[in-house]
Amino acid sequence: MKFPTKLFLNGDRCDASDRKAIPVTNPATEERLCEVASASVNDVETAVAGAQRAFEGGWRDLPPGKRTEVMFQIARVLREQAEELSQLECQMIGKPISDARDEIAMGARTFEYYAGGISRFYGQTIPVARGGFDFTLRQPMGVVAAIVPWNFPFPIACWKVAPALAAGNCVVLKPARQSPLTALRLGELAATAGLPPGVLQVLSGSGGEMGDALVKHPLVRKISFTGSTSVGSHIMELAARDIKRISLELGGKSPNIVFADADLEKAAASSPMSVFANTGQDCCARSRVFVERSVYERFVELFVQATREIVVDDPTRAETQVGPLVSQPQRVSVEEFLETVKTPRHKVVCGGDRPARKGFYLNPAVVLGCETSDRIWQEEVFGPAVCIRPFDDENAMLAEVNASPYGLSGSLWTNDLKRALRVARRVESGVLSVNSHSSVHLEAPFGGFKQSGLGRDLGMAAMEGYTELKNVYVAE
C-alpha cells in the first residue's frame, strides 16, 4: 500500500526543510515500511505561523454551524477511509487489526461527538450583587500543540484535534517518531473534507529539539501531551516559562482490586486483557492485581488459564488478540523487568518468553510472590507483565494501592454496593471501573491524579480545556 511520507503543512504535503527522514518499521516483521519526513525547527516555525494565520484568517470566527459541518464531513471521510487507516495502524505499530478497526471507528465518532457539541457549548449568565448583566464566554486560545504517543496514535490524535478544532483553535499535531502515518493521513483527509489550509498542521519526526521548539514557540498557547511522565515533566517546565496552558496524560500503574464476594469467574476471565491488550503498552493497564486472600488461589488459577488462551500472533489476522511490542528496545525493556523477578521468592507462572517467530513478540507474563518494594510492582512496565498479590485487610490494601506516584485508572470487583462506593472514593485515580475494565468513554472526562497528569481528554471537559473563560459585566 502507499504510505504518507511527507509533512502536511498549510494544506499540502511537503518535505522537511532540511530533507531529513526517519524510518518506520513494521514490528511484526521487523521490515522497514518507508521513510517519513523528519521536521526541523524551521518546519515548526512554518507550521505555527501558518496555523496562526488560519486562526486569525477566519477559523476562530467561522459561524458554529459552518464549523459543525466541516467536523461532520471529517468524520464521514474517516469512515470512508477506515480500512486504509486500520491497515496503516496495524503495520505501523503491530496493532491487531480488529483493535485497529475499533480505534479508527472511535476516531470518527470523536469528530462526530465534538461536531455535535459545538452548538451545545455555551457560557453562563450570572446574577451579581451590584446589578447589571454579567455573563461568561468560552473563547478559543489560538494555536494548540497536540503531541501524541505511539501506543494509541490515531484515537488519541482525534481526542486532541477534534475538541480543539470544535472550540475554534488551530492545531499543530506532532505524532510519535514510531507512529506518524495515520496522523499524516488525518491531516490529508481533513483537508479533503473541507478543513481550511493551516487549521490542522502535521509534523512528523523525532522529538528533542523539534518538540522543544514547538512547546516554546511564543504563538503556541496550549500544549496537550500524552506520553511518559518524564517527558510530561519536561514539557511542564518549558511551558512554565511563558505560563502556557497545558494538559498532560502521563504514566500509570493501575490497580485491579478483587474482593471475595465478586463474580470471580467474570473478574478472572476479563482481567488478563485489562493488562495484556495492546501488548501491555497502555498507561491504563491493570498491572497490579490485589485479590482477597480467601479467593486468591482460585482467582490465580482462573487468571492463568485465561492468559494461556490469549491468541498471540500476526496482527493482520482477525483472531489475534495480542501482537508484537512496538520495537526491539521496548521488548528488551520489558525483559529487563522480568529479569528482576528470577529469584526464589518470585514465580513466573506463565509467559515472559519470546514466541518462535520473527517480530518483537513476548508472551504475556504472570508474576506471583511480589513485594511492594519490587521494581516490577512499583514502575510502569509498559509491556505484557502483571503482578498478583493477596490482601487480608481493606485499609492496608488501599494504602498499598495509593502508595504509587501514579493515579490514572483502575478496576474494582465486588457485589457489595456500599463497599464499591467506599473503596471507589478512596482509590486515588482519575478513572475507576466497578465490575468492569472500561476506562475510556468518549462522553466522559479521562485523565489522572498525581504523576499521571493534569487536565482531561474526552467529554465536554476536553472542549472546555481548549478555551479561555472570559467574564463580561455590563452595567445598568
Side-chain angles (χ1 to χ4, degrees), residues 104-168:
I104 300 304
M106 185 184 191
R109 291 198 307 274
T110 302
F111 275 91
E112 289 169 343
Y113 175 80
Y114 288 107
I118 292 171
S119 61
R120 296 166 178 81
F121 191 62
Y122 26 70
Q124 298 173 302
T125 57
I126 304 170
V128 292
R130 66 180 60 179
F133 182 63
D134 192 279
F135 64 97
T136 62
L137 299 172
R138 287 280 182 182
Q139 295 188 313
M141 294 177 171
V143 178
V144 170
I147 304 174
V148 302
W150 49 258
N151 57 335
F152 295 97
F154 189 78
I156 294 179
C158 294
W159 296 2
K160 297 184 184 300
V161 170
L165 296 183

Side-chain angles (χ1 to χ4, degrees), residues 9-258:
L9 300 178
N10 300 314
D12 203 3
R13 306 177 187 90
C14 61
D15 292 316
S17 58
D18 58 8
R19 301 288 173 173
K20 289 185 178 179
I22 54 172
V24 178
T25 300
N26 184 332
T29 64
E30 305 181 38
E31 296 172 354
R32 181 173 295 190
L33 293 174
C34 60
E35 288 195 342
V36 173
S38 184
S40 68
V41 172
N42 288 336
D43 296 316
V44 170
E45 179 61 40
T46 299
V48 176
Q52 183 69 23
R53 285 195 302 272
F55 178 69
E56 295 174 351
W59 182 251
R60 68 178 173 186
D61 300 317
L62 197 68
K66 294 292 185 181
R67 204 155 61 238
T68 297
E69 289 177 11
V70 174
M71 298 280 288
F72 273 123
Q73 277 289 94
I74 294 172
R76 180 186 63 78
V77 172
L78 294 181
R79 291 191 185 282
E80 290 175 351
Q81 303 301 321
E83 187 59 24
E84 175 203 351
L85 290 165
S86 300
Q87 293 294 337
L88 284 176
E89 201 91 329
C90 178
Q91 294 189 53
M92 179 175 68
I93 58 169
K95 179 90 61 176
I97 188 63
S98 57
D99 291 347
R101 288 169 178 150
D102 289 343
E103 291 172 18
I104 300 304
M106 185 184 191
R109 291 198 307 274
T110 302
F111 275 91
E112 289 169 343
Y113 175 80
Y114 288 107
I118 292 171
S119 61
R120 296 166 178 81
F121 191 62
Y122 26 70
Q124 298 173 302
T125 57
I126 304 170
V128 292
R130 66 180 60 179
F133 182 63
D134 192 279
F135 64 97
T136 62
L137 299 172
R138 287 280 182 182
Q139 295 188 313
M141 294 177 171
V143 178
V144 170
I147 304 174
V148 302
W150 49 258
N151 57 335
F152 295 97
F154 189 78
I156 294 179
C158 294
W159 296 2
K160 297 184 184 300
V161 170
L165 296 183
N169 301 283
C170 293
V171 180
V172 179
L173 172 62
K174 182 196 172 301
R177 175 182 56 81
Q178 301 94 325
S179 55
L181 303 181
T182 48
L184 292 168
R185 196 70 180 110
L186 174 62
E188 296 171 357
L189 294 174
T192 300
L195 192 69
V199 175
L200 175 60
Q201 315 270 45
V202 187
L203 293 171
S204 54
S206 298
E209 186 181 15
M210 185 264 283
D212 285 0
L214 180 59
V215 171
K216 293 189 294 185
H217 197 289
L219 291 178
V220 171
R221 296 295 182 86
K222 175 172 179 172
I223 302 97
S224 180
F225 170 77
T226 297
S228 71
T229 297
S230 60
V231 175
S233 177
H234 176 67
I235 287 173
M236 198 171 186
E237 290 177 6
L238 295 179
R241 300 175 186 180
D242 296 317
I243 321 296
K244 291 180 187 286
R245 279 52 174 155
I246 59 172
S247 60
L248 306 171
E249 195 266 282
L250 308 175
K253 192 67 177 177
S254 298
N256 183 12
I257 304 166
V258 182

Side-chain angles (χ1 to χ4, degrees), residues 344-380:
R345 170 166 57 85
H346 298 98
K347 185 177 182 182
V348 180
V349 291
C350 69
D353 56 321
R354 298 182 180 187
R357 65 164 63 89
K358 198 171 186 180
F360 308 127
Y361 294 90
L362 194 65
N363 286 321
V366 180
V367 183
L368 309 180
C370 286
E371 298 292 345
T372 57
S373 59
D374 288 343
R375 180 176 169 232
I376 198 171
W377 180 266
Q378 294 181 336
E379 299 179 22
E380 185 174 35

Side-chain angles (χ1 to χ4, degrees), residues 378-434:
Q378 294 181 336
E379 299 179 22
E380 185 174 35
V381 176
F382 226 63
V386 66
C387 302
I388 309 177
R389 271 174 55 85
F391 73 87
D392 298 293
D393 176 77
E394 180 182 306
N395 288 327
M397 176 270 294
L398 284 168
E400 291 183 0
V401 167
N402 293 332
S404 172
Y406 299 110
L408 182 58
S409 188
S411 294
L412 164 62
W413 292 84
T414 179
N415 284 321
D416 183 331
L417 180 58
K418 289 183 179 179
R419 174 185 285 142
L421 293 174
R422 180 177 68 245
V423 174
R425 287 192 181 98
R426 290 188 58 189
V427 173
E428 295 173 351
S429 69
V431 179
L432 191 68
S433 303
V434 179

